[in-house]
């Protein structure tokens, strides 16, 4: 009887030992698979904030962000850039690429010219921007495109992307006064009379961050960096092909509801709807004038909070409809 009990105990012990070993193997396998999967998803684009504040030639910290994004997106590529709205070319987003890394490209500005950079004096509009890209033989798959028109940013960016240009890195200015609220743009300049409408150094310029995000998303771009002046985007398909961890679009822009410019209240803007961008912005048969004309309008009023000398915030709200005359 004792011998039989000993045999049973040994058998039970062996069975328990086998089950425990299988359990450990299963746990180890899951840990290995989880670790392997995690390693495949590169978090490079999610760490752009680590280089925030780094600048050499850019207006703010675009230098550090741009170099890090290029590093994430496969390196310097063909080293081709195109930047417009560059003023004298001293404080621009692409200078660091040209001077430190041997990039080639073109700068455009409406008031400045310097062929040694090269910087060309050109008046650019949504109607002629694509012909200017062709004039300077810009590749459709250039590495960096930087957009700053002080007024028609949304419409100019739309025309470039609609024409088939697909930069690996896209930089666009946005209207900081809206922070992360409202998807709006200026009313487009009248075609053929663009030179008569220009920025008055007030609140009425460009497009809000959400408006630029909605537009670029329609063309397959995602935001990966923002400061209080610019947004930087990359093509989603290229980021996924590099196994990049995709930052949430809700991270952009950072909460900057800064009342940076004056004369904001009572202005009429174009509302930029997310679905409308998907349906209309990408349609080549819709001209710039028709696209701009078809966007609904909204008049916004403002209210300021805080101390204008230190921390001045502004909130936009829709003006009430005028009373009926009936």
């Amino acid at each position: 009887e004792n011998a039989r009990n000993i045999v049973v105990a040994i058998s039970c012990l062996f069975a328990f030992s086998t089950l425990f070993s299988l359990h450990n193997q299963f746990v180890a396998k899951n840990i290995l698979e989880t670790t392997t999967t995690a390693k495949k998803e590169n978090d490079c684009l999610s760490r752009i904030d680590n280089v925030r504040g780094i600048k050499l030639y850019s207006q703010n910290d675009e230098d550090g962000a741009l170099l890090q994004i290029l590093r994430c997106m496969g390196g310097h590529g063909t080293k081709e850039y195109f930047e417009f709205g560059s003023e004298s070319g001293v404080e621009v987003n692409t200078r660091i690429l040209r001077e430190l890394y041997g990039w080639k490209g073109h700068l455009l500005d409406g008031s400045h010219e310097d062929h040694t950079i090269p910087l060309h004096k050109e008046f650019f509009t949504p109607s002629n921007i694509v012909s200017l890209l062709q004039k300077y033989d810009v590749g459709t798959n250039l590495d960096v495109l930087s957009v700053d028109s002080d007024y028609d940013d949304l419409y100019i960016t739309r025309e470039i992307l609609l024409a088939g240009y697909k930069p690996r890195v896209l930089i666009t200015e946005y209207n900081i006064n809206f922070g992360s609220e409202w998807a709006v743009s200026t009313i487009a300049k009248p075609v053929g009379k663009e030179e008569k409408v220009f920025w008055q150094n007030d609140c009425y310029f460009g497009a809000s961050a959400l408006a630029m995000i909605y537009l670029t998303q329609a063309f397959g771009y995602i935001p990966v960096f923002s400061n209080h002046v610019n947004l930087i985007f990359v093509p989603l398909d290229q980021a996924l092909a590099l196994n990049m961890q995709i930052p949430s679009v809700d991270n952009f822009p950072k909460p900057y509801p800064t009342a940076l410019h004056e004369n904001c209240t009572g202005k009429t803007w174009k509302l930029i709807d997310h679905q409308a961008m998907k349906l209309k912005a990408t349609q080549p048969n819709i001209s710039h004038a028709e696209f701009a004309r078809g966007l609904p309008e909204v008049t916004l009023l403002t209210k300021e909070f805080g101390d204008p000398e230190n921390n001045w915030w502004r909130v936009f709200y829709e003006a009430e409809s005028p009373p009926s005359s009936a």
Side-chain angles (χ1 to χ4, degrees):
E1 185 69 25
N2 288 338
R4 186 170 59 192
N5 288 341
I6 290 172
V7 170
V8 171
I10 292 174
S11 298
C12 290
L13 182 61
F14 177 79
F16 177 80
S17 176
T18 301
L19 287 173
F20 185 77
S21 176
L22 290 172
H23 171 74
N24 284 347
Q25 290 176 32
F26 176 79
V27 171
K29 183 174 182 291
N30 279 349
I31 291 174
L32 179 61
E33 288 177 350
T34 302
T35 303
T36 303
T37 302
K39 285 182 178 179
K40 286 182 179 179
E41 193 172 63
N42 193 326
D43 66 352
C44 185
L45 288 175
S46 300
R47 295 179 175 270
I48 306 299
D49 275 354
N50 291 353
V51 296
R52 192 172 291 277
I54 297 175
K55 65 164 286 181
L56 180 60
Y57 299 123
S58 58
Q59 181 180 2
N60 302 284
D61 51 1
E62 293 86 0
D63 283 338
L66 179 55
L67 291 176
Q68 176 67 8
I69 291 167
L70 286 169
R71 179 186 181 191
C72 298
M73 295 298 292
H76 287 231
T78 62
K79 296 187 175 183
E80 180 186 8
Y81 67 83
F82 191 82
E83 179 169 3
F84 54 92
S86 55
E87 296 187 344
S88 65
V90 172
E91 192 177 68
V92 294
N93 295 323
T94 55
R95 182 179 174 185
I96 192 170
L97 301 176
R98 184 182 73 250
E99 296 205 2
L100 271 65
Y101 298 97
W103 283 49
K104 303 294 183 183
H106 298 273
L107 305 174
L108 300 186
D109 191 78
S111 304
H112 297 83
E113 191 170 37
D114 182 352
H115 292 296
T116 66
I117 301 180
L119 165 62
H120 312 282
K121 186 177 179 180
E122 298 277 9
F123 184 72
F124 45 87
T125 71
S127 300
N128 76 354
I129 188 61
V130 173
S131 64
L132 288 172
L133 289 166
Q134 294 168 346
K135 175 181 177 179
Y136 294 106
D137 197 26
V138 178
T140 54
N141 294 311
L142 71 162
D143 296 289
V144 175
L145 171 67
S146 183
V147 177
D148 178 1
S149 75
D150 286 340
Y151 203 93
D152 272 344
D153 296 296
L154 182 126
Y155 307 107
I156 286 178
T157 302
R158 185 242 177 183
E159 292 304 303
I160 294 172
L161 298 178
L162 189 63
Y165 289 89
K166 190 175 182 179
R168 285 199 301 132
V169 180
L170 170 63
I171 307 172
T172 67
E173 186 183 49
Y174 74 97
N175 192 326
I176 180 59
N177 294 281
F178 290 96
S180 55
E181 303 296 325
W182 289 95
V184 294
S185 170
T186 55
I187 296 174
K189 296 178 180 181
V191 176
K193 299 179 180 179
E194 291 92 347
E195 72 281 357
K196 295 182 179 181
V197 181
F198 52 90
W199 182 39
Q200 301 291 329
N201 293 311
D202 61 3
C203 191
Y204 198 73
F205 70 93
S208 68
L210 279 182
M212 294 306 301
I213 289 172
Y214 291 165
L215 172 72
T216 55
Q217 280 184 323
F219 287 93
Y221 281 81
I222 55 167
V224 294
F225 176 82
S226 66
N227 55 27
H228 66 283
V229 174
N230 287 307
L231 284 158
I232 305 184
F233 303 87
V234 299
L236 176 60
D237 59 349
Q238 294 182 22
L240 291 174
L242 292 167
N243 293 316
M244 288 293 152
Q245 184 181 90
I246 306 303
S248 171
V249 69
D250 294 327
N251 291 335
F252 306 98
K254 298 294 183 181
Y256 292 121
T258 307
L260 190 61
H261 300 87
E262 296 182 357
N263 193 23
C264 290
T265 196
K267 301 290 186 182
T268 299
W269 306 80
K270 287 289 189 175
L271 272 175
I272 308 303
D273 179 74
H274 198 185
Q275 290 303 317
M277 290 300 99
K278 291 181 180 179
L279 295 174
K280 296 181 179 180
T282 58
Q283 296 301 314
N285 60 321
I286 300 179
S287 68
H288 156 61
E290 183 182 354
F291 170 74
R293 189 169 53 248
L295 298 171
E297 295 181 358
V298 61
T299 299
L300 298 178
L301 303 179
T302 62
K303 186 173 182 180
E304 282 76 28
F305 299 87
D307 179 6
E309 298 297 324
N310 297 302
N311 193 20
W312 197 24
W313 285 30
R314 177 182 290 127
V315 172
F316 288 82
Y317 61 98
E318 188 171 356
E320 293 182 0
S321 300
S324 174
S325 59

